[in-house]
Structure formats: structure tokens, C-alpha cells
């Protein structure tokens, strides 16, 4: 009995000392489920810069673990040492993966400590520059006149562009030929080159192309118009006639289940400090992203939101009959 008490006391003392000393001299690694250069990767690097000082000047590294719609990276983090030195930055894929994949290497609800949401990114509906429609009404007319001939690109199964495309087809009750790519960059390249017709993707990916008139833009997916200079004249899909159409791609931080509460509290405090950093806010707003400042930046609010999003998006994905092994 005495030896058991000694072991238990030793383990508890170790956890307390670790929490007090976190992050110490060991780097914190943010695991990104997508390739370098993409929107989540860019956000991770901006967050790392803004969170470094609030984490006592810690070194924050970015590790890109791409593949399988983000599930490989999420699975890796779920099994990482729960000491706060490995965290995951993931988007809406945390809510869509249970419906998209028959088998997952993790459980979204039980294998993570939720640390807080960081940003929401609106989507834009864009087309190849040679598409004849010049506004949203003309686009709908063109779609109706070309049923069965339209190619809609996306950045791969489970990507934000894939989800937005599914919702757009469902809203119009039109089936298009979906063309998956290994990331946004090749999808955008083919759109600009005229190999595909349409793409629905995040403003962090499309704003520069819209500003440079390399693509045609028709609408944004937010309830209100955006104020970003390059996007402020675009109507919303709601005002264009698709009632209730609202899609923003949110991004949040997660730690492995079992990470000590004091450590998750320090990570959450650093995240909240980053979200108030003027330089960070300016970077995100310049890309059309919205920095979150509500209860979803709290762990409980973050988890509650993901549960609600999973319940909302799951039936839409299942109705589309899209699954991955």
C-alpha cells in the first residue's frame, strides 16, 4: 500500500512540476494536416509567431502531415505524448471526417483536448476567366443550360472546397462532375487555365486571384458582404437567392487527450493573446479571414461548436453519398 501511495504521489508531483514549467526548453510543434503553402499552413505560421511570446518565448515549429483529408495528422496528434508539446491545427474537417470516413484512427469527441477556435474563413464562388457569365444570375442561367457538362474542382476529399461544392450543388439541386485535386494550388491553376469551370474555396486562397482578375468571382458564402477591398462588391449567396446558405471554414487548436489542465490553460491563454495581436489580426483580415473573439475561443465553447457542426454537416455529406475508406 505504501509503495502504491509513493508511486501515485510521484506521478502527481511530476504532472504539477511539468505544468508549472511548461513549455520549458522543449519546442511546441503545431501539426498541420495539409501541405505547406496552403491556408491552414499559413494560419499556423501566423499563429506560431503570435503565440511565441505569450508562451514565454518558446520555439514553435510547424510540421506538415498531409493526406487523407487531415485524418493522418489528427490520428498522429491523438496518439502523441499528452504534454502540450504537440498540438493540432485543423479546420472543419474535424466535424466532417466522421461522416466522410468509414474508419478513423481517432475519435473526434474523446481523443482530444479542445483548446479554442482561432479564425473563420469565408468562401468564394469563382470560375474560369473565360466562363461567359458575368454575374451570379447569369451564372445560374449558364449552369441550368449546361447540366451534365460542368466541372467543379476541389482540393480533395474532405477539403473545405469539397464541402462548399457539395452544399452549392445541393442548394441548386444540380449535379456537377467533381474533379478532386491534391490541394488548392493545382485546382486554382487548372481553373485559371480553363481546364475546370468552377471552384468554391476560401478567401485566403482566392483573394489574390480575384484581385488580379485571373478568375471570375460571383459571390461569398457569409450572411453579410465582406469589407475586404477585393471582395467588398461581391454579393452573398443569400442575397442572390440561396436562402440560408452560410459556409465559413473555421480553424481550431487541439491537444491529445490527457494533456494536463494547467498546460491546456497555458495554451489557451497564449491562443487568446494571439487573437488580440494587432499584427495577427491585420494579416488575417487582409485575406478576408475573421478572427474569432467569442466563447468559441474557450475550450468548452470550442467543443460545443464542433459537436453542433458535426450534427449539421454529417447528414448533408451522407445524403451526397460521399465516403472514403
Amino acid at each position: 500500500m505504501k509503495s502504491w501511495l509513493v508511486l501515485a504521489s510521484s506521478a502527481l508531483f511530476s504532472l504539477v512540476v511539468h505544468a508549472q514549467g511548461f513549455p520549458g526548453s522543449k519546442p511546441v510543434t503545431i501539426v498541420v494536416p495539409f501541405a505547406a503553402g496552403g491556408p491552414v499552413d499559413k494560419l499556423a505560421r501566423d499563429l506560431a509567431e503570435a503565440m511565441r511570446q505569450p508562451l514565454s518565448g518558446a520555439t514553435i515549429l510547424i510540421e506538415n502531415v498531409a493526406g487523407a483529408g487531415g485524418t493522418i495528422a489528427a490520428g498522429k496528434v491523438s496518439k502523441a505524448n499528452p504534454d502540450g508539446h504537440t498540438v493540432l491545427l485543423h479546420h472543419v474537417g474535424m466535424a466532417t471526417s466522421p461522416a466522410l470516413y468509414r474508419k478513423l484512427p481517432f475519435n473526434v469527441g474523446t481523443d482530444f483536448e479542445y483548446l479554442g477556435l482561432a479564425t473563420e474563413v469565408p468562401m468564394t464562388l469563382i470560375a474560369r476567366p473565360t466562363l461567359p457569365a458575368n454575374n451570379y444570375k447569369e451564372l445560374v442561367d449558364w449552369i441550368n443550360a449546361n447540366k451534365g457538362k460542368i466541372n467543379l474542382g476541389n482540393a480533395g476529399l474532405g477539403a473545405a472546397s469539397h464541402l462548399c461544392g457539395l452544399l452549392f450543388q445541393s442548394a441548386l439541386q444540380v449535379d456537377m462532375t467533381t474533379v478532386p485535386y491534391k490541394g488548392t494550388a493545382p485546382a486554382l491553376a487548372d481553373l485559371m487555365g480553363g481546364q475546370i469551370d468552377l471552384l468554391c474555396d476560401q478567401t485566403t486562397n482566392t483573394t489574390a486571384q480575384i484581385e488580379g482578375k485571373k478568375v471570375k468571382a460571383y459571390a461569398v458564402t457569409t450572411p453579410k458582404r465582406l469589407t475586404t477591398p477585393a471582395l467588398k462588391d461581391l454579393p452573398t449567396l443569400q442575397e442572390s437567392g440561396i436562402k440560408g446558405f452560410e459556409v465559413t471554414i473555421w480553424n481550431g487548436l487541439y491537444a491529445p487527450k490527457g494533456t494536463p489542465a494547467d498546460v491546456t490553460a497555458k495554451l489557451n491563454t497564449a491562443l487568446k493573446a494571439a487573437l488580440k495581436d494587432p499584427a495577427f489580426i491585420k494579416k488575417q483580415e487582409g485575406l478576408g479571414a475573421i478572427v474569432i473573439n467569442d466563447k468559441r475561443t474557450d475550450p468548452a465553447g470550442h467543443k460545443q461548436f464542433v459537436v453542433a457542426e458535426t450534427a449539421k454537416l454529417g447528414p448533408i455529406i451522407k445524403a451526397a453519398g460521399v465516403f472514403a475508406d
Side-chain angles (χ1 to χ4, degrees):
M1 178 65 124
K2 186 179 291 185
S3 61
W4 181 85
L5 287 173
V6 170
L7 286 172
S9 299
S10 176
L12 178 60
F13 177 76
S14 177
L15 283 176
V16 171
V17 170
H18 177 275
Q20 289 176 341
F22 177 81
S25 59
K26 185 179 178 181
V28 173
T29 298
I30 299 177
V31 177
V32 176
F34 308 103
V40 182
D41 177 72
K42 292 174 185 175
L43 172 61
R45 294 173 193 280
D46 290 342
L47 265 180
E49 183 179 344
M51 288 177 65
R52 189 174 67 83
Q53 286 306 321
L55 279 178
S56 306
T59 298
I60 303 180
L61 307 176
I62 306 300
E63 182 181 359
N64 299 93
V65 182
T71 61
I72 295 175
K76 177 176 181 175
V77 173
S78 74
K79 296 172 178 62
N81 186 9
D83 61 1
H85 289 279
T86 303
V87 298
L88 173 72
L89 178 65
H90 204 352
H91 65 19
V92 68
M94 285 294 276
T96 59
S97 57
L100 279 170
Y101 293 88
R102 292 184 175 90
K103 292 182 180 180
L104 286 174
F106 58 89
N107 184 296
V108 173
T110 61
D111 288 349
F112 298 94
E113 302 292 349
Y114 286 66
L115 300 176
L117 289 186
T119 62
E120 285 184 306
V121 185
M123 309 289 282
T124 48
L125 180 62
I126 59 177
R128 56 181 166 86
T130 55
L131 199 138
N134 293 310
N135 55 52
Y136 181 76
K137 182 181 181 305
E138 291 182 5
L139 175 65
V140 173
D141 291 341
W142 180 84
I143 289 172
N144 289 328
N146 289 275
K147 290 180 179 179
K149 304 176 184 178
I150 301 168
N151 293 319
L152 173 67
N154 66 57
L157 184 69
S161 52
H162 178 224
L163 173 63
C164 187
L166 286 178
L167 294 173
F168 184 60
Q169 291 178 83
S170 176
L172 291 187
Q173 296 185 326
V174 173
D175 289 329
M176 303 178 191
T177 300
T178 56
V179 183
Y181 290 83
K182 292 182 178 180
T184 297
L188 267 173
D190 272 9
L191 185 76
M192 291 186 286
Q195 280 75 45
I196 56 175
D197 300 308
L198 298 172
L199 179 68
C200 184
D201 205 11
Q202 302 176 64
T203 58
T204 45
N205 288 330
T206 63
T207 299
Q209 283 73 26
I210 292 170
E211 193 170 27
K213 301 189 184 303
K214 295 179 180 178
V215 297
K216 284 190 173 181
Y218 297 99
V220 294
T221 63
T222 46
K224 297 180 180 179
R225 293 194 182 200
L226 301 178
T227 58
T228 308
L231 308 174
K232 63 183 177 62
D233 293 327
L234 289 178
T236 70
L237 281 171
Q238 287 203 47
E239 72 179 87
S240 299
I242 305 182
K243 300 302 180 185
F245 196 103
E246 180 182 351
V247 183
T248 57
I249 302 305
W250 40 267
N251 300 277
L253 279 177
Y254 307 81
K257 188 69 175 179
T259 303
D262 284 356
V263 173
T264 60
K266 285 187 177 183
L267 287 166
N268 175 257
T269 297
L271 171 63
K272 287 182 175 179
L275 301 184
K276 294 178 181 177
D277 184 293
F280 176 80
I281 293 171
K282 185 177 180 180
K283 284 181 182 179
Q284 304 315 306
E285 290 182 345
L287 295 169
I290 301 162
V291 177
I292 296 175
N293 63 0
D294 56 39
K295 67 178 183 179
R296 293 173 299 169
T297 62
D298 295 320
H302 179 190
K303 187 168 186 178
Q304 183 181 34
F305 176 74
V306 174
V307 169
E309 287 285 280
T310 303
K312 179 180 77 173
L313 299 172
I316 295 170
I317 293 168
K318 289 177 181 178
V322 180
F323 297 100
D325 293 328

